[in-house]
Amino acid sequence: MTLFAPDFPAPLVVDRLSIGYRRRRRGPLEDVVHDVSFTVPHGSTVSLVGQSGSGKSTIARAVAGLLPHNGASTAGSVSVVGRDVTRYSASQWRPLRGSSVGFVPQDPLSSLDPLQRIGVQIAGALAPSVPRSEVPARVVRLLEHVGIRDAKARSRAFPHELSGGQLQRVLIAIAIAADPALLIADEPTSALDVTVQKRILDLIDGLREELGLGVLFITHDLALAQERSDEIVVLKDGVVREQGPAGVVLVSPRDPYTITLLSDAPAASPDRYRDRVRQPEASARSIISVSNVTKTFEGRGPADTATRALDDVSLTVAEGSVHALVGESGSGKTTLARIVAGLTGFDEGSTVVDGRELPAHATYANPFARTLQLVYQNPLSAVDPRYSVRRIIEEPLRIHGIGDSQARRARVAHVLDQVALPSTVLGRTAREISGGQRQRVALARTLVLAPDVLVLDEPTSALDVTVQAQIVDLLLDLREQHNLSYLFISHDLGLVRQIADTITVLRLGAVVESGSTQEIFSKPQDAYTRELLDAVPRLERRIEAVA
């Protein structure tokens, strides 16, 4: 790996950059980013924070030369390692990616080739100077470096065979494979649990310190931004509202927008929803009952071993409650969610939803679609990318034959308002909206059927803190109004502490600990639970009066 000398040109200099998009093929460029300036020095991390749609990812893609065909810089400049790349063509950018700029995108599943094995995709990112005979060993070392167990076997897997957190780690391995000078990390830990998140960020920090790597870190997690950054740039509607040292901007913010972001952060307001959390009564009816469930996934060939995803798992979700399921990536959380939703079968045990027992072998059609809905971790993979937002949300109503065209449109408008999305997104596709907006569309799609139970698989992982607070408020309001029940899967323990009534902790497919939220957080009994809690980032805050 290359060590960058202090007098080497800065990895990134953004000078008064403005970026616009064409709404029509031959229309004018309309600016969405306005006059943004910042520098990422060697061995430094600069974080861009702000709401979804604030321009964070647009800036990151402009810096990496990955703007879509209808986007372009309209003013200012971008310099990467001393080169002005503002007007670079695709052919000029090609040799820079990987060698000078490593990019970790926000959405791992859509960023990997579903038909190529993981090892092949990592090998393609290695520097051409690596001898072919050394490539397999280098791929395994990279996977081990980013914390993937059984790296040699995982290198032979396809993307759909890995969890969301594992896929995110694969993207980081690809980004650092050719020793770049600048690493652009666009929400690199949004799909990771707190312990893996800490390992990944420790890895990035280690590379930054050892090699003089510059890091542009895009995140909605203000605690992480404060903990891991040298400088913070706060964006709203493409405009810089505040910037400076992390110890100043997020400890003593001066701009009202920054103060609002901090007020909405779970790490800063651990008791925000405390009065809305309730301990289920012993007599409460069980809406979900999982008893001694075991699930094993067989290997694809003679050389591949079987994976025990769930091992004698039991849990109960009381009617009208929020039951959180936490644990590392690969602990079995999503597998259990799919079993409860009737989308994945199981080997032993029983699963009962709303008094009806699910068959051990999953069928093509969800037998309880009107009763129970699943909000997926990856919203883009859960919908047809060719569909408009209107069609995505309306589709469940069509499938179940609910209402006429006018009634369906009214219902779509209603749920769109519930999830705080403007009507202007209805004509766009999922790829034309931000990651946070996609997650809200996924939630609207489930709410349109008015179900009794929601299984929420990382429903807020792609949301900034302000929108996250809106979604949580919405979920809690719906529970109180309609006595909804939630199985809430999340790696964000700060949020879990705020809203969950009860918690089950999973590790390697087995239940480690279960109980009320207050018990788990105040007196954890298992060493693994204590490890999870210790890894949660803390947010130091001292909000002063705005001058």
Side-chain angles (χ1 to χ4, degrees):
M1 291 188 173
T2 305
L3 176 64
F4 297 99
D7 59 349
F8 205 68
L12 177 64
V13 177
V14 175
D15 184 27
R16 307 195 69 175
L17 180 67
S18 295
I19 304 168
Y21 287 107
R22 288 186 176 86
R23 303 302 179 186
R24 300 183 308 278
R25 186 172 183 179
R26 298 185 181 276
L29 286 165
E30 300 175 18
D31 283 357
V32 295
V33 170
H34 312 269
D35 199 30
V36 172
S37 298
F38 61 88
T39 298
V40 180
H42 290 291
S44 178
T45 298
V46 175
S47 288
L48 304 183
V49 301
Q51 291 177 315
S52 296
S54 63
K56 306 187 301 294
S57 293
T58 293
I59 293 171
R61 291 188 175 278
V63 167
L66 294 172
L67 283 173
H69 64 87
N70 64 327
S73 301
T74 58
S77 65
V78 175
S79 296
V80 175
V81 198
R83 301 181 186 181
D84 187 344
V85 299
T86 314
R87 301 286 181 263
Y88 264 30
S89 64
S91 61
Q92 289 174 303
W93 261 111
R94 199 167 294 118
L96 286 181
R97 293 198 194 99
S99 60
S100 295
V101 179
F103 185 76
V104 183
Q106 181 177 0
D107 190 352
L109 196 58
S110 66
S111 302
L112 294 168
D113 188 336
L115 302 179
Q116 292 276 4
R117 297 181 191 273
I118 293 300
V120 173
Q121 299 189 58
I122 297 175
L126 290 170
S129 59
V130 177
R132 291 186 63 182
S133 60
E134 296 180 13
V135 167
R138 186 73 67 91
V139 167
V140 170
R141 284 202 300 273
L142 280 166
L143 288 174
E144 290 173 343
H145 209 39
V146 297
I148 290 184
R149 296 190 301 269
D150 197 9
K152 188 173 183 179
R154 293 300 184 190
S155 70
R156 298 194 299 269
F158 290 94
H160 73 272
E161 296 175 304
L162 302 184
S163 70
Q166 290 170 329
L167 290 174
Q168 194 69 281
R169 282 175 275 174
V170 168
L171 287 181
I172 293 172
I174 291 172
I176 65 175
D179 303 334
L182 173 68
L183 182 68
I184 303 171
D186 188 358
E187 301 282 5
T189 59
S190 63
L192 302 182
D193 58 84
V194 289
T195 53
V196 177
Q197 172 180 268
K198 185 177 185 301
R199 290 200 293 268
I200 292 298
L201 294 177
D202 285 347
L203 165 65
I204 293 175
D205 282 347
L207 292 169
R208 175 178 57 81
E209 293 172 1
E210 293 171 17
L211 308 176
L213 184 72
V215 178
L216 180 60
F217 185 43
I218 291 92
T219 183
H220 61 261
D221 190 325
L222 299 184
L224 277 185
Q226 184 185 81
E227 183 181 272
R228 301 286 178 166
S229 306
D230 299 295
E231 183 175 343
I232 301 284
V233 179
V234 182
L235 291 162
K236 184 177 189 294
D237 298 328
V239 176
V240 175
R241 296 293 294 265
E242 191 165 3
Q243 70 184 106
V248 175
V249 171
L250 294 184
V251 175
S252 300
R254 308 303 297 167
D255 190 86
Y257 175 67
T258 311
I259 294 173
T260 298
L261 287 179
L262 285 164
S263 299
D264 288 331
S269 308
D271 298 320
R272 175 172 182 156
Y273 301 103
R274 186 52 43 193
D275 60 334
R276 304 181 73 174
V277 173
R278 56 200 186 207
Q279 179 65 32
E281 299 180 3
S283 60
R285 185 174 77 96
S286 296
I287 194 75
I288 298 174
S289 179
V290 177
S291 302
N292 309 111
V293 165
T294 298
K295 174 64 179 178
T296 300
F297 291 103
E298 300 296 335
R300 296 188 310 276
D304 294 325
T305 58
T307 301
R308 179 65 66 92
L310 296 174
D311 188 4
D312 196 31
V313 170
S314 298
L315 65 82
T316 299
V317 179
E319 186 176 21
S321 72
V322 179
H323 185 92
L325 196 59
V326 302
E328 290 183 331
S329 298
S331 63
K333 304 187 301 294
T334 297
T335 298
L336 183 57
R338 290 181 60 83
I339 287 174
V340 169
L343 300 176
T344 297
F346 50 93
D347 305 324
E348 299 176 8
S350 67
T351 303
V352 179
V353 176
D354 199 18
R356 293 176 290 181
E357 187 165 354
L358 272 67
H361 299 286
T363 58
Y364 175 76
N366 181 353
F368 310 126
R370 295 290 300 275
T371 299
L372 183 147
Q373 284 284 298
L374 175 63
V375 180
Y376 290 91
Q377 178 180 0
N378 189 325
L380 190 60
S381 67
V383 298
D384 191 321
R386 299 168 300 177
Y387 286 2
S388 67
V389 167
R390 183 191 302 280
R391 184 171 177 182
I392 289 169
I393 300 174
E394 188 178 335
E395 188 178 33
L397 298 174
R398 292 175 177 272
I399 291 172
H400 291 277
I402 298 173
D404 57 18
S405 176
Q406 184 176 355
R408 288 195 294 265
R409 284 179 175 268
R411 179 63 182 164
V412 168
H414 176 68
V415 297
L416 202 71
D417 184 60
Q418 282 184 310
V419 299
L421 277 174
S423 59
T424 53
V425 305
L426 286 173
R428 301 179 190 175
T429 67
R431 293 188 181 278
E432 296 175 320
I433 57 179
S434 69
Q437 289 173 325
R438 291 173 193 161
Q439 195 67 280
R440 284 179 276 169
V441 169
L443 182 58
R445 178 182 168 89
T446 62
L447 292 175
V448 78
L449 287 176
D452 298 320
V453 185
L454 288 184
V455 178
L456 301 145
D457 189 359
E458 301 282 6
T460 59
S461 63
L463 304 181
D464 61 78
V465 291
T466 301
V467 178
Q468 180 184 92
Q470 294 170 358
I471 294 299
V472 170
D473 282 330
L474 166 63
L475 291 171
L476 294 178
D477 287 344
L478 290 171
R479 178 179 72 156
E480 292 170 2
Q481 295 167 11
H482 306 290
N483 200 35
L484 290 177
S485 309
Y486 301 133
L487 179 59
F488 189 84
I489 299 168
S490 180
H491 63 264
D492 187 339
L493 296 183
L495 181 59
V496 166
R497 182 177 186 177
Q498 283 188 342
I499 71 170
D501 306 314
T502 51
I503 297 175
T504 294
V505 182
L506 282 178
R507 185 186 188 193
L508 300 177
V511 174
V512 168
E513 196 165 351
S514 191
S516 71
T517 302
Q518 184 176 1
E519 292 170 347
I520 296 295
F521 275 87
S522 61
K523 297 178 180 179
Q525 300 300 306
D526 191 87
Y528 174 68
T529 307
R530 291 193 290 273
E531 181 185 357
L532 285 178
L533 297 178
D534 289 343
V536 177
R538 269 62 175 181
L539 182 62
E540 181 184 353
R541 184 175 66 146
R542 184 175 68 252
I543 295 180
E544 302 172 356
V546 179

